[in-house]
Amino acid sequence: LKKRGQVDTMRSLGVDRPINYREENWWEIAQYTDDPFDVIIDCVGGNDHFAKSPAVLKKRGRFVAVVGDEPHVVVKSAGQLLKFVCTSLWRPIWTTFSFSSPNYFMFVSGSSGELVSSVLGMMAEGKLRILLEPSSPYPFTLEGVRSALQLQLSGHAHGKVVVRVSEEK
């Protein structure tokens, strides 16, 4: 969290202890270092989270990366591409055989009909709530799509950014 006003929103989604990242580092919180986690699911990426995770993970805990080390990868050379691919492929292998670091997993999802049906079912049952960006939906115009993409790329969206393709009839 970066604003105190988001605490209520996070609590309404079931978060036990929201963290304002401008005021404290999650890897230094005594509650977490004293009672480490079994699993960390990193939905943010960047900031070398994997390297910081052993401080709050149980020995041989699991670090699941939903996004990579860099949330916005820009590849301008073969060397950059090689570094990105090697890190993504090598880290899960070496952490499997390392006894001193967490197990690293890269989460990659598909869009099968079964997965979509499962997610929609959890939403209908109230088991999964999707937070929408308050400024959504954006109109399906050049300016609307441009604004939605800029917000998404800024990393400052507070939920899913939606573009309304058509009006319901």
Side-chain angles (χ1 to χ4, degrees):
L1 297 176
K2 66 181 181 178
K3 294 181 181 175
R4 292 200 182 276
Q6 295 173 306
V7 170
D8 291 339
T9 301
M10 293 297 103
R11 289 205 188 279
S12 76
L13 293 171
V15 173
D16 294 322
R17 186 188 187 289
I19 300 169
N20 183 332
Y21 69 85
R22 292 178 191 232
E23 296 176 4
E24 56 187 338
N25 297 320
W26 55 267
W27 60 92
E28 295 174 342
I29 297 172
Q31 175 186 356
Y32 304 150
T33 58
D34 295 344
D35 186 19
F37 297 103
D38 295 311
V39 178
I40 290 177
I41 302 173
D42 182 10
C43 299
V44 177
N47 300 315
D48 212 14
H49 290 167
F50 176 67
K52 296 168 182 168
S53 69
V56 295
L57 270 173
K58 291 181 180 173
K59 186 174 176 113
R60 301 303 292 147
R62 292 173 286 170
F63 184 92
V64 181
V66 176
V67 294
D69 292 340
E70 295 300 324
H72 305 293
V73 177
V74 177
V75 176
K76 295 183 179 180
S77 70
Q80 288 175 323
L81 177 61
L82 186 62
K83 179 183 176 191
F84 174 74
V85 170
C86 286
T87 300
S88 299
L89 297 176
W90 179 243
R91 189 179 284 160
I93 294 169
W94 74 260
T95 61
T96 299
F97 299 105
S98 169
F99 294 105
S100 61
S101 72
N103 284 315
Y104 180 89
F105 298 91
M106 183 71 167
F107 178 79
V108 180
S109 72
S111 59
S112 70
E114 184 179 319
L115 177 62
V116 171
S117 178
S118 174
V119 169
L120 291 174
M122 286 188 289
M123 288 174 65
E125 295 169 14
K127 294 179 180 177
L128 177 65
R129 291 183 45 211
I130 307 298
L131 184 64
L132 297 180
E133 162 60 36
S135 61
S136 288
Y138 287 87
F140 188 54
T141 62
L142 181 60
E143 185 55 37
V145 172
R146 181 179 289 135
S147 295
L149 286 172
Q150 286 173 339
L151 178 59
Q152 183 67 36
L153 291 173
S154 75
H156 297 291
H158 299 288
K160 296 295 180 184
V161 178
V162 176
V163 174
R164 183 183 307 273
V165 177
S166 67
E167 296 293 326
E168 290 185 34
K169 294 181 180 181

